[in-house]
Amino acid sequence: MGMYEDVFRASMDDPEAFWLGAAEGIDWDVAPRRALDSSGAPFHRWFPDGRLNVCFNALDRHVEAGRGDQPALVHDSPVTGTLRTYSYARLRDEVAAFAGALAQLGVGRGDRVVIYLPMVPEAAVAMLACARIGAVHSVVFGGFAPRELALRIDDATPKVVVSASCGIEGKRVIPYKPLLDRAVELASHKPEKSVILQRPQTPAELGPDDLDWADLVAAAPPAACVPMSANDPLYILYTSGTTGKPKGVVRDCGGYAVALHWSMGAVYDIGPGETMFTGSDVGWVVGHSYIVYGPLLAGATTVLYEGKPVGTPDAGQFWRVAADYGVKTMFTAPTAFRAIRKEDPEGARAADHDLSRLRYLFLAGERLDPETYRWASALLDVPVIDHWWQTETGWPIVANPVGIEAAPVKPGSPTRPLPGWDVRVLDAAGKPVPAGVDGAIVVRLPLPPGALTTLWKDDERYLSSYLSAYDGYYLTGDSGHIDDDGYVFVMGRTDDVINVAGHRLSTGSMEEALAAHPDVAECAVIGVADALKGQVPRGFVVLKAGTAREPGEVEAELVRLVRERIGAVASLKDVAVVAALPKTRSGKILRKTMRGIADGLDEPVPSTVDDASVIDALRRGGPGDRTS
C-alpha cells in the first residue's frame, strides 16, 4: 500500500481520488463516480451516486468467487460447551432464509428491527438479514435492563424485535423473554411481532405476538439482496447520552462498507482466508465492525465467542481460541487482559497453547495502561497495538496501521491518525495548541467514510452534540495532546460519560436512577480509576431530611435500583450516603474535584463542605490506579 506518510498525505490532499480507489474493493450494483458530496455541509455524504448491498458484499460475492466452503464464522461457546462453524455458503443460506422470514412479517426497506440477543450466531444472521432486504437493524446489548431497551424501542420504533429465550453469563442463565416483555410494556411504541430464538438452557413461553425463530424460518422462502443507495442507513447503534436519552448513531451503507473493507487490510493486516478474533459483544460498535461486518467484507474468518476471558473454565480461553482457529489478529479491550493477568500473572496458560500464528494483539475501548502493555508484549512477543476510536466513528481514528507500515510504539499513545482522519487539538478558544499541550481533540470535517452521518431522527442533536463547539470540526469529547512526532495521546473524557471495561456509560443516567429513590435528596456519580476495569462508577447521595433509615440499607437499595434501570453493565456497586456534596458557591456539584480526591490526588477540601463524610467516602479504599 505504500508507506504511512505517503498514504496519509494522499488521503488529505485528494480525498476524492483516495476513497474512490478504496471503493474499488467493494462490489457495486452501480459504481460511484463521485466520492464526496458536501453540498449539504456540515452533513456530508459519501459515494452519493453508488448503489450496493452490504450483505452481498459480506457473503454472496465470496461464494460466487468460489470460496463458499471457507469458514466464515465460528461460534465458540465454552459456557454451553458447543462449537458451530459456518461456511460462507451456509451462512449466506441461513441469512437469506431469515431475511425471507422477516419479509413475510412485512419488514422491508427502511423498516427498523431491534435485535436483543446474546453472543450467538443468530445475532450476526439477524443483522445481515436486515442488510439483505434493506431493513435498518438496531442491536441492543443483551446486558441492558428493560428500561434501557424500552428507550431504544421508543426511539427506533421497530416493526419487529428479535430476541432469545435466554442468555448465559458465566454459570448463570439469564431469561431474556421476561426482560423483553417488561421493555415492551414500558415502551410507548409496540412492535408488531417478536421473533424468539429458543435456547435449550431455558426455553420461553411464547405469547400471542411472539414467533418461534425455527418455525418462522422453516416456512420462509429465501430472500434476494436488495440494492441500496450508498447513503441509505444500514443500522442504528445507540450510545450513551448526557441527558439520559441514548443517541442513535446512524451508519450508512456505502461509506461504512468501503471504510471497513479498507481498514481490515490497512489497519489489522487481515485478508481473505485469514482469521480474526474480536473479544467483544455484537451489541457494541466493536462487535458490529470487527466481529460481523469487517471480517466478512474482507472474506476472512471471524470468531464469535460466547463467554468471558477468565472463569470458563480458566484464564486460558483466549489463548485456546487463538490456537484452535489459527488466529492472526486478536482484538479486545485492555480490561480482558487485566483480568487474565490477575488470574494468571505468569502467563502459564498461554504456554499451554500454540500461538505461533498470532501476529498482532489490538486493544481499544479504553486507555491502555503501560503495565498491561508491558505484560502482554513480554508474554506474546508480538506487537501489542493500542488504538482509539468511538461508537460514532465506526472504525479507528488513531492506530498503528501494520498493513501499511508499522510505526515504533510509544506506550500511552495509540500512535498516529489513520488516513482520512485530520486530527487536531484545540484550546477553549478554538486555537491550535502547541505540541505536547493538552486540549480538546477534534477532527476536521468532513469525516471520512464510515463515520456517523447523523443521529436517528435528530439532526439538531447531532449538530449540537458534535459540530457546534468548534466551527468546521467534529468534537470527540476526549482531551489530550499530539507530540512532536505526530503521536496522539488521549488523556480522558471531557463530559460525564465514563469508560467501564471498554463500555461507555453515562453517569447522568446513573444519577437519574439514584435520584428516583424516595429517600434521596441529591446525588452525584463519578468515574474513578480502577486497576481492572479502567474506570468504575462511584455514587454519593445525600438523604432527605428526616430519613430515619440506616445508610447501609439505602445504599444496597440504590445499587439494586441502578442495576434494574440500566443493567449489570453499569457496574455501580459502591454508593455512599454522605452529609453533603462539594459544590461551588452557585450550587454546582464539583465532580472534577471529587474525581481527583477519589483518585488520591492532592485536591483541597472545598470550603463549601463543612462535613468530612464526603471526603472520607471519596478517599475510601486509597488512591486509584494512576500508573498512566
Side-chain angles (χ1 to χ4, degrees), residues 226-241:
V226 175
M228 305 292 289
S229 165
N231 297 147
D232 283 335
L234 175 65
Y235 67 75
I236 307 164
L237 181 58
Y238 288 92
T239 186
S240 294

Side-chain angles (χ1 to χ4, degrees), residues 35-173:
L36 179 64
D37 176 10
S38 295
S39 61
F43 295 92
H44 300 275
R45 299 290 180 259
W46 287 95
F47 314 113
D49 54 343
R51 297 184 66 81
L52 77 164
N53 184 276
V54 177
C55 179
F56 178 88
N57 277 274
L59 299 176
D60 300 65
R61 68 168 175 162
H62 304 306
V63 177
E64 293 180 3
R67 290 191 291 110
D69 292 335
Q70 177 198 309
L73 184 147
V74 176
H75 180 233
D76 188 293
S77 175
V79 296
T80 61
T82 58
L83 168 66
R84 287 188 280 175
T85 299
Y86 294 74
S87 68
Y88 268 97
R90 178 186 173 188
L91 188 58
R92 178 205 57 186
D93 292 346
E94 296 212 6
V95 167
F98 192 66
L102 290 176
Q104 285 197 322
L105 295 180
V107 176
R109 178 173 179 158
D111 290 328
R112 276 78 61 205
V113 175
V114 163
I115 299 171
Y116 185 62
L117 284 168
M119 286 292 285
V120 291
E122 288 81 2
V125 168
M127 295 165 69
L128 291 161
C130 290
R132 192 172 191 86
I133 59 175
V136 180
H137 64 70
S138 183
V139 182
V140 178
F141 173 58
F144 276 132
R147 178 178 175 274
E148 294 295 312
L149 176 57
L151 289 173
R152 289 153 175 79
I153 289 174
D154 275 341
D155 197 64
T157 59
K159 181 170 284 190
V160 170
V161 174
V162 181
S163 190
S165 61
C166 67
I168 302 168
E169 289 291 332
K171 296 180 180 179
R172 295 187 305 130
V173 176

Side-chain angles (χ1 to χ4, degrees), residues 540-542 576-582 594 597 605-606 609-620:
F540 303 87
V541 299
V542 178
V577 173
V578 296
L581 296 174
M594 294 173 67
I597 295 172
V605 177
V609 176
D610 56 11
D611 187 283
S613 63
V614 67
I615 306 302
D616 291 340
L618 284 163
R619 288 176 175 160
R620 184 173 61 206

Side-chain angles (χ1 to χ4, degrees), residues 20 31 139 195 208 213 257 299 423 472 483 510 574 588:
L20 280 175
V139 182
V195 179
W213 174 300
V423 178
D483 72 7
M510 296 181 213
D574 186 357
K588 181 180 179 181

Side-chain angles (χ1 to χ4, degrees), residues 254-293:
Y256 188 60
V258 170
L260 256 64
H261 180 267
W262 183 87
S263 73
M264 286 298 296
V267 180
Y268 300 103
D269 195 25
I270 287 286
E274 296 179 323
T275 302
M276 184 172 188
F277 167 42
T278 300
S280 183
D281 191 285
V282 292
W284 307 111
V285 69
V286 170
H288 280 58
S289 293
Y290 296 111
I291 294 177
V292 181
Y293 284 111

Side-chain angles (χ1 to χ4, degrees), residues 371-396:
E371 188 57 39
T372 299
Y373 165 76
R374 286 190 288 266
W375 182 81
S377 297
L379 177 65
L380 298 175
D381 194 29
V382 300
V384 176
I385 301 170
D386 186 15
H387 60 323
W388 170 65
W389 50 300
Q390 302 175 325
T391 300
E392 292 86 347
T393 68
W395 61 287

